[in-house]
Amino acid sequence: MPELDLYYARSGNSLRAAIALELSGVPYARHELDLAGQQQKSESFLAMNPAGHVPVLILTGPDGRTALPQSGAIMDYLLRQHRPDLYPEDEIARANCTASFLAALSDVAIQNALARYLSSQPDAAQFVLDRMLADLRALFCPVETTPYLCGNAVTIADYAHFPVVYMRETRLRSEPDCSHVLRWLDRMKADSAVARAVAFSGLQIES
């Protein structure tokens, strides 16, 4: 196993990678970046990820260093090796799990980010946030009858969705028809690996 270094900030994407590392149980070093101070745009960080985005997982082994960006790729790399139990065995169940996993990384995460960064345009921000909340209600229909998104067992999809739902907890608690999502959130917050990751990379928005 290569040596692992996580470069992160308090963000939803970073939290997703942190959860994967905590679930994996592998040793790693943490390097927090100050996004307000533009550390993600420094020459040294851009050498690791030219896009200038967190998180980045650096893998150092006998053949040198490899930079792995993108929280979804980091999750999949680590959990396939160390937590294969988080992937359903049945083909159809696994495909549905993958669909939810990809929705967490694309539709939900992107709309969440847009709603945050469009704060100077309140109408646009509200439109995107409403779309995201509608998507969450639809994606979380399964937890109206089962504990987790893909049935009775937790999967990679649950961990992929956690950062945005956690970030928007205050808003969700004021929304109608979200009690099933909040029950799921409380269940996930009790996961010890999630709690450890939240402690150093979690972020919540009070709106």
Side-chain angles (χ1 to χ4, degrees):
M1 183 69 189
E3 294 181 11
L4 303 177
D5 290 83
L6 176 67
Y7 289 79
Y8 73 98
R10 285 193 174 267
S11 71
N13 290 332
S14 291
L15 178 55
R16 196 173 289 113
I19 289 171
L21 283 159
E22 292 296 333
L23 286 166
S24 300
V26 295
Y28 67 99
R30 303 198 303 246
H31 309 274
E32 184 172 5
L33 274 68
D34 176 10
L35 301 187
Q38 296 289 297
Q39 286 186 325
Q40 77 278 20
K41 302 299 183 185
S42 68
E43 184 177 344
S44 59
F45 185 75
L46 290 174
M48 291 185 280
N49 183 10
H53 302 318
V54 290
V56 174
L57 184 66
I58 301 296
L59 303 88
T60 305
D63 298 325
R65 284 161 50 98
T66 299
L68 182 59
Q70 297 292 336
S71 62
I74 293 169
M75 286 196 93
D76 196 52
Y77 168 77
L78 292 167
L79 299 183
R80 282 191 184 277
Q81 292 183 75
H82 302 286
R83 293 296 306 274
D85 57 298
L86 297 177
Y87 296 80
E89 293 184 6
D90 176 79
E91 277 190 21
I92 299 300
R94 188 165 62 251
N96 280 321
C97 176
T98 299
S100 186
F101 173 68
L102 293 175
L105 301 173
S106 56
D107 299 345
V108 173
I110 290 169
Q111 289 172 150
N112 180 57
L114 284 173
R116 290 184 64 199
Y117 300 128
L118 285 172
S119 58
S120 62
Q121 302 175 53
D123 290 344
Q126 189 60 52
F127 172 80
V128 175
L129 183 58
D130 288 343
R131 285 283 300 270
M132 186 200 75
L133 292 170
D135 280 352
L136 279 179
R137 288 189 184 94
L139 288 163
F140 276 74
C141 283
V143 300
E144 291 179 346
T145 56
T146 62
Y148 299 105
L149 286 164
C150 300
N152 292 322
V154 66
T155 68
I156 188 173
D158 295 284
Y159 292 111
H161 276 286
F162 178 84
V164 169
V165 178
Y166 175 77
M167 185 183 295
R168 295 290 181 175
E169 180 178 3
T170 297
R171 179 57 182 264
L172 287 166
R173 292 198 181 279
S174 69
E175 287 287 318
D177 305 322
C178 286
S179 58
H180 60 304
V181 182
L182 293 166
R183 286 194 301 272
W184 171 91
L185 177 62
D186 290 338
R187 189 175 295 116
M188 294 298 295
K189 285 164 68 176
D191 184 306
S192 59
V194 169
R196 290 193 300 272
V198 164
F200 71 86
S201 62
L203 172 69
Q204 289 192 308
I205 299 173
E206 296 301 317
S207 63

Coordinates of all heavy atoms in Angstrom, one line a residue, residues 128-198:
V128 N -31.7 27.2 -8.2 CA -30.8 26.0 -8.2 C -31.0 25.2 -6.9 O -31.1 23.9 -7.0 CB -29.4 26.4 -8.4 CG1 -28.4 25.2 -8.3 CG2 -29.2 27.1 -9.7
L129 N -31.2 25.9 -5.8 CA -31.3 25.2 -4.5 C -32.7 24.4 -4.5 O -32.7 23.2 -4.1 CB -31.3 26.2 -3.4 CG -31.5 25.6 -2.0 CD1 -30.3 24.6 -1.7 CD2 -31.5 26.7 -0.9
D130 N -33.7 25.0 -5.1 CA -35.0 24.2 -5.2 C -34.8 23.0 -6.0 O -35.4 21.9 -5.7 CB -36.1 25.2 -5.7 CG -36.5 26.2 -4.7 OD1 -36.2 26.1 -3.5 OD2 -37.1 27.2 -5.1
R131 N -34.1 23.1 -7.1 CA -33.9 22.0 -8.0 C -33.1 20.9 -7.2 O -33.4 19.7 -7.4 CB -33.1 22.4 -9.2 CG -33.8 23.2 -10.3 CD -34.7 22.2 -11.1 NE -34.0 21.2 -11.8 CZ -33.4 21.4 -13.0 NH1 -33.6 22.5 -13.7 NH2 -32.8 20.4 -13.6
M132 N -32.1 21.3 -6.5 CA -31.3 20.3 -5.7 C -32.2 19.6 -4.7 O -32.1 18.4 -4.5 CB -30.1 21.0 -5.0 CG -29.2 20.0 -4.4 SD -28.2 20.8 -3.1 CE -29.4 21.0 -1.8
L133 N -33.0 20.4 -4.0 CA -33.9 19.8 -3.0 C -34.9 18.8 -3.6 O -35.2 17.7 -3.0 CB -34.6 20.9 -2.2 CG -33.7 21.7 -1.3 CD1 -34.5 22.9 -0.8 CD2 -33.1 20.9 -0.1
A134 N -35.4 19.1 -4.8 CA -36.3 18.2 -5.5 C -35.6 17.0 -5.9 O -36.2 15.9 -5.7 CB -36.9 18.9 -6.7
D135 N -34.4 17.1 -6.3 CA -33.6 15.9 -6.7 C -33.3 15.0 -5.4 O -33.4 13.8 -5.5 CB -32.3 16.3 -7.3 CG -32.4 16.7 -8.8 OD1 -33.5 16.5 -9.3 OD2 -31.4 17.1 -9.4
L136 N -33.0 15.7 -4.3 CA -32.8 14.9 -3.1 C -34.0 14.1 -2.7 O -33.9 13.0 -2.3 CB -32.3 15.8 -2.0 CG -30.8 16.2 -2.0 CD1 -30.5 17.1 -0.8 CD2 -29.9 15.0 -1.9
R137 N -35.2 14.8 -2.7 CA -36.4 14.1 -2.3 C -36.6 12.9 -3.2 O -37.0 11.8 -2.7 CB -37.6 15.1 -2.5 CG -37.7 16.1 -1.4 CD -39.0 16.9 -1.4 NE -39.0 18.0 -0.5 CZ -38.7 19.2 -0.8 NH1 -38.3 19.6 -2.0 NH2 -38.8 20.2 0.1
A138 N -36.4 13.0 -4.5 CA -36.6 11.9 -5.4 C -35.5 10.8 -5.2 O -35.9 9.6 -5.1 CB -36.5 12.4 -6.9
L139 N -34.3 11.2 -5.1 CA -33.2 10.2 -4.9 C -33.4 9.4 -3.6 O -32.9 8.3 -3.4 CB -31.9 10.9 -4.9 CG -31.4 11.3 -6.3 CD1 -30.3 12.3 -6.2 CD2 -31.0 10.1 -7.2
F140 N -34.0 10.1 -2.6 CA -34.1 9.5 -1.2 C -35.4 8.8 -1.0 O -35.7 8.4 0.1 CB -33.8 10.6 -0.2 CG -32.3 10.8 0.1 CD1 -31.5 11.4 -0.8 CD2 -31.7 10.2 1.3 CE1 -30.2 11.6 -0.5 CE2 -30.4 10.4 1.5 CZ -29.6 11.1 0.6
C141 N -36.2 8.6 -2.0 CA -37.4 7.8 -1.9 C -37.2 6.5 -1.3 O -38.0 6.0 -0.5 CB -38.1 7.7 -3.2 SG -39.0 9.2 -3.7
P142 N -36.1 5.8 -1.6 CA -35.9 4.4 -1.0 C -35.8 4.4 0.5 O -36.3 3.4 1.1 CB -34.6 4.0 -1.6 CG -34.5 4.7 -2.9 CD -35.1 6.0 -2.7
V143 N -35.3 5.5 1.1 CA -35.2 5.5 2.6 C -36.5 5.7 3.3 O -36.5 5.8 4.5 CB -34.1 6.4 3.1 CG1 -32.7 6.0 2.5 CG2 -34.4 7.9 2.8
E144 N -37.6 5.9 2.5 CA -38.9 5.9 3.2 C -39.3 4.5 3.7 O -40.0 4.4 4.7 CB -40.0 6.4 2.2 CG -39.8 7.9 1.8 CD -40.9 8.3 0.8 OE1 -41.5 7.5 0.2 OE2 -41.0 9.6 0.6
T145 N -38.7 3.5 3.1 CA -39.0 2.1 3.5 C -37.8 1.3 3.9 O -38.0 0.2 4.4 CB -39.8 1.4 2.4 OG1 -39.0 1.5 1.2 CG2 -41.1 2.1 2.1
T146 N -36.6 1.7 3.6 CA -35.4 1.0 4.0 C -34.5 1.9 4.7 O -34.5 3.1 4.6 CB -34.7 0.4 2.8 OG1 -34.3 1.4 1.9 CG2 -35.7 -0.6 2.0
P147 N -33.5 1.4 5.5 CA -32.6 2.2 6.3 C -31.7 3.0 5.4 O -31.3 4.1 5.7 CB -31.9 1.3 7.2 CG -32.6 0.0 7.2 CD -33.4 -0.1 5.9
Y148 N -31.3 2.4 4.2 CA -30.3 3.1 3.4 C -30.7 3.2 2.0 O -31.8 2.6 1.6 CB -29.0 2.2 3.5 CG -28.4 2.2 4.9 CD1 -28.5 1.0 5.7 CD2 -27.8 3.3 5.5 CE1 -28.0 1.0 7.0 CE2 -27.3 3.3 6.8 CZ -27.5 2.1 7.5 OH -27.0 2.0 8.8
L149 N -30.0 3.9 1.2 CA -30.4 4.2 -0.2 C -30.6 3.0 -1.1 O -31.4 3.0 -2.0 CB -29.4 5.2 -0.8 CG -29.5 6.6 -0.3 CD1 -28.2 7.4 -0.7 CD2 -30.7 7.3 -0.9
C150 N -29.8 2.0 -0.8 CA -29.9 0.8 -1.7 C -30.3 -0.5 -0.9 O -30.0 -1.6 -1.3 CB -28.5 0.5 -2.3 SG -27.9 1.9 -3.3
G151 N -31.1 -0.2 0.2 CA -31.6 -1.4 0.9 C -31.3 -1.4 2.4 O -31.2 -0.3 3.0
N152 N -31.1 -2.6 2.9 CA -30.9 -2.7 4.4 C -29.4 -2.5 4.8 O -29.1 -2.4 6.0 CB -31.4 -4.1 4.8 CG -32.9 -4.2 4.8 OD1 -33.6 -3.2 5.0 ND2 -33.4 -5.3 4.4
A153 N -28.5 -2.5 3.8 CA -27.1 -2.3 4.1 C -26.6 -1.0 3.5 O -27.0 -0.6 2.4 CB -26.3 -3.5 3.5
V154 N -25.7 -0.4 4.3 CA -25.1 0.8 3.8 C -24.2 0.5 2.6 O -23.5 -0.5 2.6 CB -24.3 1.5 5.0 CG1 -23.1 0.7 5.4 CG2 -23.9 2.9 4.6
T155 N -24.1 1.4 1.7 CA -23.3 1.3 0.5 C -22.5 2.5 0.2 O -22.7 3.6 0.9 CB -24.1 0.9 -0.8 OG1 -24.9 2.1 -1.1 CG2 -25.0 -0.3 -0.6
I156 N -21.6 2.5 -0.8 CA -20.9 3.6 -1.2 C -21.8 4.8 -1.6 O -21.4 6.0 -1.4 CB -19.9 3.3 -2.4 CG1 -19.0 4.5 -2.7 CG2 -20.7 2.8 -3.6 CD1 -17.9 4.1 -3.8
A157 N -23.0 4.5 -2.1 CA -23.9 5.6 -2.4 C -24.3 6.4 -1.2 O -24.4 7.7 -1.3 CB -25.2 5.0 -3.1
D158 N -24.5 5.8 -0.1 CA -24.9 6.5 1.1 C -23.7 7.5 1.5 O -24.0 8.7 1.9 CB -25.2 5.6 2.3 CG -26.4 4.7 2.0 OD1 -27.5 5.2 2.1 OD2 -26.2 3.5 1.6
Y159 N -22.5 7.0 1.5 CA -21.4 7.8 1.9 C -21.1 8.9 0.9 O -20.7 10.0 1.2 CB -20.1 7.0 2.0 CG -20.2 6.0 3.2 CD1 -20.3 4.7 3.0 CD2 -20.2 6.5 4.5 CE1 -20.4 3.8 4.1 CE2 -20.3 5.7 5.6 CZ -20.4 4.3 5.4 OH -20.5 3.4 6.5
A160 N -21.4 8.7 -0.4 CA -21.2 9.7 -1.4 C -22.2 10.9 -1.2 O -21.9 12.1 -1.5 CB -21.4 9.1 -2.8
H161 N -23.5 10.6 -0.8 CA -24.5 11.6 -0.7 C -24.3 12.3 0.7 O -24.9 13.5 0.8 CB -25.9 10.9 -0.7 CG -26.4 10.7 -2.1 ND1 -26.9 11.8 -2.8 CD2 -26.6 9.6 -2.8 CE1 -27.3 11.3 -4.0 NE2 -27.1 10.0 -4.0
F162 N -23.7 11.8 1.6 CA -23.7 12.4 3.0 C -23.2 13.8 3.0 O -23.8 14.7 3.7 CB -22.8 11.5 3.9 CG -22.7 12.1 5.3 CD1 -23.7 11.9 6.2 CD2 -21.7 13.0 5.6 CE1 -23.7 12.5 7.5 CE2 -21.6 13.5 6.9 CZ -22.6 13.3 7.8
P163 N -22.1 14.2 2.3 CA -21.6 15.6 2.5 C -22.6 16.7 2.2 O -22.7 17.6 2.9 CB -20.4 15.6 1.5 CG -19.9 14.2 1.5 CD -21.2 13.4 1.5
V164 N -23.3 16.5 1.1 CA -24.3 17.6 0.7 C -25.5 17.6 1.7 O -25.9 18.7 2.1 CB -24.8 17.4 -0.7 CG1 -26.0 18.4 -1.0 CG2 -23.6 17.7 -1.7
V165 N -26.0 16.4 2.0 CA -27.1 16.4 3.0 C -26.7 17.0 4.3 O -27.4 17.8 4.9 CB -27.7 15.0 3.1 CG1 -28.8 14.9 4.1 CG2 -28.1 14.5 1.8
Y166 N -25.5 16.6 4.8 CA -25.0 17.2 6.0 C -24.8 18.7 5.9 O -25.2 19.4 6.8 CB -23.6 16.5 6.4 CG -22.9 17.1 7.6 CD1 -23.4 16.8 8.9 CD2 -21.9 18.0 7.4 CE1 -22.7 17.3 10.0 CE2 -21.2 18.5 8.5 CZ -21.7 18.2 9.8 OH -21.1 18.7 10.9
M167 N -24.3 19.2 4.8 CA -24.1 20.6 4.6 C -25.4 21.4 4.7 O -25.4 22.5 5.2 CB -23.4 20.8 3.3 CG -23.0 22.3 3.0 SD -22.2 22.6 1.4 CE -20.7 21.6 1.6
R168 N -26.4 20.8 4.2 CA -27.7 21.4 4.1 C -28.7 21.0 5.2 O -29.9 21.2 5.1 CB -28.4 21.2 2.7 CG -27.6 21.7 1.5 CD -27.6 23.3 1.5 NE -26.9 23.8 0.4 CZ -26.9 25.1 0.1 NH1 -27.6 26.0 0.8 NH2 -26.2 25.5 -0.9
E169 N -28.2 20.5 6.3 CA -29.1 19.9 7.3 C -30.0 21.0 7.8 O -31.3 20.7 8.0 CB -28.2 19.4 8.5 CG -29.1 18.8 9.6 CD -28.3 18.2 10.7 OE1 -27.0 18.3 10.7 OE2 -28.9 17.7 11.7
T170 N -29.6 22.2 8.1 CA -30.5 23.2 8.6 C -31.6 23.5 7.7 O -32.8 23.6 8.1 CB -29.7 24.5 8.9 OG1 -28.7 24.3 9.9 CG2 -30.6 25.6 9.4
R171 N -31.3 23.6 6.4 CA -32.4 23.9 5.4 C -33.3 22.7 5.3 O -34.6 22.9 5.3 CB -31.7 24.2 4.1 CG -32.7 24.4 3.0 CD -33.7 25.6 3.3 NE -34.7 25.8 2.3 CZ -34.5 26.7 1.3 NH1 -33.4 27.5 1.2 NH2 -35.5 26.9 0.5
L172 N -32.8 21.5 5.3 CA -33.7 20.3 5.2 C -34.6 20.2 6.4 O -35.8 19.8 6.3 CB -32.8 19.1 5.1 CG -32.1 18.9 3.7 CD1 -31.1 17.8 3.8 CD2 -33.1 18.5 2.7
R173 N -34.2 20.6 7.6 CA -35.0 20.5 8.8 C -36.2 21.6 8.7 O -37.1 21.4 9.5 CB -34.2 20.7 10.1 CG -33.3 19.6 10.3 CD -32.8 19.4 11.7 NE -31.8 18.3 11.8 CZ -32.2 17.0 12.0 NH1 -33.5 16.7 12.1 NH2 -31.3 16.1 12.1
S174 N -36.1 22.5 7.8 CA -37.2 23.5 7.7 C -38.1 23.2 6.4 O -39.0 23.9 6.2 CB -36.6 24.9 7.5 OG -35.9 25.0 6.3
E175 N -37.7 22.1 5.7 CA -38.4 21.8 4.5 C -39.5 20.7 4.8 O -39.3 19.8 5.6 CB -37.4 21.2 3.4 CG -36.5 22.2 2.8 CD -37.3 23.1 1.8 OE1 -38.1 22.6 1.1 OE2 -37.0 24.3 1.8
P176 N -40.6 20.8 4.1 CA -41.6 19.7 4.2 C -41.2 18.5 3.5 O -40.3 18.5 2.6 CB -42.9 20.3 3.5 CG -42.3 21.3 2.5 CD -41.1 21.9 3.2
D177 N -41.7 17.3 3.8 CA -41.5 16.1 3.1 C -40.0 15.6 3.1 O -39.6 15.0 2.2 CB -42.0 16.2 1.7 CG -43.4 16.6 1.6 OD1 -44.2 16.1 2.5 OD2 -43.8 17.4 0.7
C178 N -39.2 16.0 4.1 CA -37.8 15.6 4.2 C -37.5 14.8 5.4 O -36.4 14.5 5.7 CB -36.9 16.8 4.2 SG -36.8 17.6 2.5
S179 N -38.5 14.3 6.1 CA -38.3 13.6 7.4 C -37.5 12.3 7.1 O -36.7 11.9 7.9 CB -39.6 13.3 8.1 OG -40.5 12.6 7.3
H180 N -37.8 11.6 6.0 CA -37.1 10.4 5.7 C -35.6 10.7 5.4 O -34.8 9.9 5.8 CB -37.7 9.7 4.5 CG -37.8 10.5 3.2 ND1 -38.4 11.7 3.1 CD2 -37.3 10.2 2.0 CE1 -38.2 12.2 1.9 NE2 -37.6 11.3 1.2
V181 N -35.3 11.8 4.8 CA -33.9 12.2 4.5 C -33.2 12.4 5.8 O -32.1 12.0 6.1 CB -33.8 13.4 3.6 CG1 -32.4 13.7 3.3 CG2 -34.6 13.2 2.3
L182 N -33.9 13.1 6.8 CA -33.3 13.5 8.0 C -33.1 12.2 8.9 O -32.1 12.2 9.7 CB -34.1 14.5 8.7 CG -34.2 15.9 8.0 CD1 -35.3 16.7 8.6 CD2 -32.8 16.6 8.1
R183 N -34.0 11.3 8.8 CA -33.8 10.0 9.6 C -32.5 9.3 9.1 O -31.7 8.8 9.9 CB -35.0 9.1 9.5 CG -36.2 9.5 10.3 CD -37.2 8.4 10.4 NE -37.7 8.0 9.0 CZ -38.7 8.5 8.4 NH1 -39.4 9.5 8.9 NH2 -39.1 8.0 7.2
W184 N -32.4 9.3 7.8 CA -31.2 8.7 7.2 C -29.9 9.5 7.6 O -28.9 8.9 7.9 CB -31.3 8.8 5.6 CG -30.1 8.4 4.9 CD1 -29.7 7.1 4.4 CD2 -29.1 9.3 4.4 NE1 -28.5 7.2 3.8 CE2 -28.1 8.5 3.7 CE3 -28.8 10.7 4.6 CZ2 -27.0 9.1 3.2 CZ3 -27.7 11.2 4.0 CH2 -26.8 10.4 3.3
L185 N -30.0 10.8 7.6 CA -28.9 11.6 8.0 C -28.5 11.3 9.4 O -27.3 11.2 9.7 CB -29.2 13.1 7.8 CG -28.1 14.1 8.3 CD1 -26.9 14.0 7.5 CD2 -28.6 15.5 8.2
D186 N -29.4 11.2 10.3 CA -29.1 10.9 11.7 C -28.4 9.6 11.9 O -27.5 9.4 12.7 CB -30.3 11.0 12.6 CG -30.9 12.4 12.8 OD1 -30.1 13.4 12.6 OD2 -32.1 12.6 13.1
R187 N -28.9 8.6 11.1 CA -28.3 7.3 11.1 C -26.8 7.4 10.6 O -25.9 6.7 11.2 CB -29.1 6.4 10.2 CG -28.8 4.9 10.2 CD -29.7 4.1 9.4 NE -31.1 4.1 10.0 CZ -32.1 4.7 9.4 NH1 -32.0 5.2 8.2 NH2 -33.3 4.7 9.9
M188 N -26.6 8.1 9.5 CA -25.2 8.2 9.0 C -24.3 9.0 9.9 O -23.1 8.7 10.0 CB -25.3 8.9 7.6 CG -26.0 8.1 6.5 SD -25.2 6.5 6.1 CE -23.7 7.1 5.5
K189 N -24.8 10.0 10.6 CA -24.0 10.8 11.5 C -23.5 9.9 12.7 O -22.5 10.2 13.3 CB -24.8 12.0 12.0 CG -24.9 13.1 11.0 CD -26.0 14.1 11.4 CE -25.6 14.9 12.6 NZ -26.6 16.0 12.9
A190 N -24.2 8.9 13.0 CA -23.8 8.0 14.1 C -22.7 7.0 13.6 O -22.1 6.3 14.5 CB -25.0 7.2 14.5
D191 N -22.4 7.0 12.4 CA -21.3 6.1 11.9 C -19.9 6.7 12.3 O -19.6 7.9 12.1 CB -21.3 6.1 10.3 CG -20.3 5.2 9.7 OD1 -19.1 5.3 10.0 OD2 -20.7 4.3 8.9
S192 N -19.1 5.9 13.0 CA -17.9 6.4 13.6 C -16.9 7.0 12.6 O -16.2 8.0 12.8 CB -17.2 5.4 14.5 OG -16.9 4.2 13.7
A193 N -16.8 6.3 11.4 CA -15.9 6.8 10.4 C -16.4 8.2 9.9 O -15.6 9.1 9.6 CB -15.8 5.8 9.2
V194 N -17.7 8.3 9.7 CA -18.2 9.6 9.2 C -18.0 10.7 10.3 O -17.6 11.8 9.9 CB -19.8 9.5 9.0 CG1 -20.4 10.8 8.8 CG2 -20.0 8.6 7.7
A195 N -18.2 10.4 11.5 CA -18.0 11.3 12.6 C -16.5 11.8 12.6 O -16.3 13.0 12.8 CB -18.4 10.7 13.9
R196 N -15.6 10.9 12.4 CA -14.2 11.3 12.5 C -13.9 12.2 11.3 O -13.1 13.2 11.4 CB -13.3 10.0 12.4 CG -13.3 9.2 13.7 CD -12.2 8.2 13.7 NE -12.2 7.2 12.5 CZ -12.9 6.1 12.6 NH1 -13.6 5.8 13.6 NH2 -12.9 5.3 11.5
A197 N -14.4 11.9 10.1 CA -14.2 12.8 9.0 C -14.8 14.1 9.1 O -14.2 15.2 8.8 CB -14.7 12.1 7.7
V198 N -16.0 14.2 9.6 CA -16.7 15.4 9.9 C -15.9 16.3 10.8 O -15.9 17.6 10.6 CB -18.1 15.2 10.4 CG1 -18.7 16.5 11.0 CG2 -19.1 14.7 9.3

